[in-house]
């Protein structure tokens, strides 16, 4: 077998995963041609045979039918090990795979769905994570097309056996559509957009009860598509005619507001490589030493203007998907709020900046301490407070945005949002994330207009905090919930 799985630069060492697959293939190649041996393999032999067959499927398209029949004949674990190797290839090697191998990867993924291999839903999620937001290259659009086509073609099977993976696909394609709908007319992109729209509308119209499992971020994604006629209709029904969704549990959009979105959905829009780099930055890099890491990250993942829309996904991930332990919070490692401040200043387009701020504050709007996690809202308050006085412009822009959200986000349900944001502020003070809100209400550097508006909107909350402050004992330093 001369073909390789990946394309590497001359100076790059061979990947250990690829090496293990090729070695297994070379060792067992005589056994990969009919007639196949009938003896039962040991566990180690079984694993090596899985690797060899997988390598053959990916690198010998002309023999793929032979290899897949061989796999079906020898499998004894419901394809668990085979699929785990596929997931490892997707997570570790996808960006470097040669195009023919990527084509075979999609083909064998469809085969694993057909046989309901154990863990095929994890394989689909791994592939969804490789579709990069804001990337309009041919390869990325091809993967997007293949995946939305797979979900369309395997609809009935997925709905019956792994319905939750359909919610992951809905989250991904709603988010991607916001990018794709901003592209100028192009026949290839138009075909892709039509497939994405049809899939998303089918999910929302036919399986809305399943869609509710996404939680409040479903609303955030849909509002970015309100200019698309099909989604404008969905939006109107959400607000004015919820009964049309024929879901007994859904009576008003405020129910979605109050349903927290699981962190697994935010991981869907962050590639594994991006996740690893962000977690490294937030776990090992000291405050003051972060600049070169940020420059590298921006060059690697945000190098073209179209990639700016990724900032929203990254901020949502940092707030809701990365919660550092107490030893990190109390150390000199760069805090989440500082990284978000850098990302906020990286945005050059007004609509991207607005979406980044919304990603930062979205959980504030509907916060309920019984449902929500304080770590999701901690970066927002610390970024506002710690930007005073050196970067008070950041404090101003964030505070103004938050107050405008309270006033205008959903006028019909303003009481829900006032309650949510009031609960967020109160809980942050009560848990000692900040000692008080004086920096926002009393500081001379804060705009008088913003202070007055803050006091007007949150009059009751401020009075309650004042009473509690008089009666309270000194607060302990903030610690993340165990």
């Amino acid at each position: 077998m001369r073909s390789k799985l990946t394309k590497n630069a001359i100076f790059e060492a061979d990947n250990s995963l690829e090496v293990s697959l090729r070695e297994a293939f070379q060792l067992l190649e005589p056994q990969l041609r009919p007639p196949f041996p009938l003896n039962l393999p040991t566990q180690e032999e079984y694993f090596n045979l899985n690797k060899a067959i997988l390598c053959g499927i990916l690198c010998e398209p002309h023999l793929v039918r032979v290899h897949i029949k061989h796999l079906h004949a020898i499998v004894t674990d419901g394809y668990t090990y085979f699929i785990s190797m596929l997931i490892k290839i997707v997570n570790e090697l996808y960006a470097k795979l040669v195009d023919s191998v990527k084509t075979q990867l999609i083909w064998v993924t469809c085969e694993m769905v057909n046989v309901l291999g154990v863990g095929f839903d994890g394989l689909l999620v791994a592939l969804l994570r490789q579709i990069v937001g804001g990337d309009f290259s041919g390869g990325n659009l091809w993967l997007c097309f293949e995946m939305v086509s797979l979900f369309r073609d395997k609809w009935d099977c997925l709905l019956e056996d792994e319905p939750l993976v359909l919610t992951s696909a809905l989250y991904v394609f709603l988010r991607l559509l916001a990018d794709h709908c901003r592209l100028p007319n192009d026949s290839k992109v138009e075909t892709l957009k039509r497939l994405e729209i049809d899939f998303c509308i089918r999910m929302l119209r036919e399986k809305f009860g399943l869609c509710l499992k996404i939680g409040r971020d479903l609303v955030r994604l849909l509002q970015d598509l309100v200019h698309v006629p099909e989604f404008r209709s969905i939006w109107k029904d959400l607000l004015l005619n919820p009964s049309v969704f024929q879901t007994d549990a859904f009576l008003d959009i405020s129910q979605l507001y109050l349903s927290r979105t699981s962190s697994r959905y935010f991981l869907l829009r962050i590639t594994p490589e991006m996740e690893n780099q962000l977690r490294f930055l937030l776990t090992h890099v000291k405050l003051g030493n972060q600049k070169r890491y940020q420059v590298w990250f921006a060059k690697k993942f945000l190098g073209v203007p179209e990639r700016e829309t990724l900032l929203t996904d990254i901020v949502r991930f940092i707030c809701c998907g990365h919660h550092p332990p107490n030893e990190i919070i109390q150390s000199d490692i760069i805090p989440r709020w500082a990284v978000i401040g850098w990302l906020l200043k990286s945005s050059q387009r007004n609509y991207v900046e607005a979406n980044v701020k919304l990603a930062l504050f979205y959980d504030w709007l509907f916060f309920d301490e019984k449902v929500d996690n304080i770590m999701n809202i901690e970066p927002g308050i610390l970024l506002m407070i710690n930007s005073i006085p050196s970067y008070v412009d950041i404090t101003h822009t964030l505070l103004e945005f938050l107050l405008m959200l309270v006033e205008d986000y959903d006028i019909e349900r303003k009481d829900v949002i006032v309650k949510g944001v009031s609960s967020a502020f109160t809980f942050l003070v009560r848990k000692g994330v900040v000692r008080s809100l004086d920096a926002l209400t009393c500081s001379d550097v804060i705009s008088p207009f913003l202070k007055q508006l803050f006091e007007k909107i949150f009059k009751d909350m401020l009075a309650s905090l004042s009473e509690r402050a008089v009666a309270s004992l000194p607060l302990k330093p903030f610690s993340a919930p165990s």
Side-chain angles (χ1 to χ4, degrees), residues 315-355:
V315 169
R316 208 76 187 103
F317 163 73
I318 292 174
C319 288
C320 307
H322 180 82
H323 293 167
N326 289 329
E327 54 266 29
I328 297 295
I329 291 175
Q330 296 165 9
S331 72
D332 56 358
I333 298 298
I334 184 171
R336 295 185 300 159
W337 64 264
V339 174
I340 291 173
W342 160 64
L343 293 170
L344 185 61
K345 289 189 291 184
S346 299
S347 61
Q348 302 296 318
R349 304 178 187 185
N350 290 337
Y351 76 87
V352 173
E353 183 180 342
N355 280 341

Side-chain angles (χ1 to χ4, degrees), residues 104-215:
Q104 292 305 108
L105 183 60
I106 297 297
W107 181 87
V108 75
T109 296
C110 291
E111 285 294 308
M112 291 302 99
V113 175
N114 289 339
V115 298
L116 303 180
V118 176
F120 77 80
D121 56 322
L123 175 57
L124 294 177
V125 166
L127 284 165
L128 286 172
R129 291 188 69 187
Q130 294 297 332
I131 306 173
V132 180
D135 181 349
F136 306 125
S137 64
N140 197 61
L141 294 176
W142 171 84
L143 178 60
C144 192
F145 180 89
E146 292 295 326
M147 291 305 295
V148 74
S149 298
L150 187 156
F151 279 97
R152 177 199 61 189
D153 296 342
K154 307 297 181 184
W155 172 273
D156 292 333
C157 169
L158 296 174
L159 193 58
E160 182 176 349
D161 290 281
E162 289 293 346
L164 272 181
V165 79
L166 287 167
T167 68
S168 296
L170 176 63
Y171 187 94
V172 168
F173 294 124
L174 284 175
R175 174 63 191 84
L176 292 171
L177 266 170
D179 290 341
H180 296 165
C181 287
R182 292 190 177 96
L183 283 175
N185 290 337
D186 177 277
S187 58
K188 291 181 181 179
V189 176
E190 288 301 314
T191 301
L192 173 58
K193 281 179 1 187
R194 189 69 262 162
L195 286 173
E196 292 171 333
I197 289 171
D198 288 347
F199 172 79
C200 293
I201 294 299
R202 185 178 186 185
M203 277 290 292
L204 292 163
R205 288 298 185 192
E206 297 182 19
K207 298 297 172 185
F208 189 74
L210 189 59
C211 301
L212 290 176
K213 293 184 180 296
I214 294 177

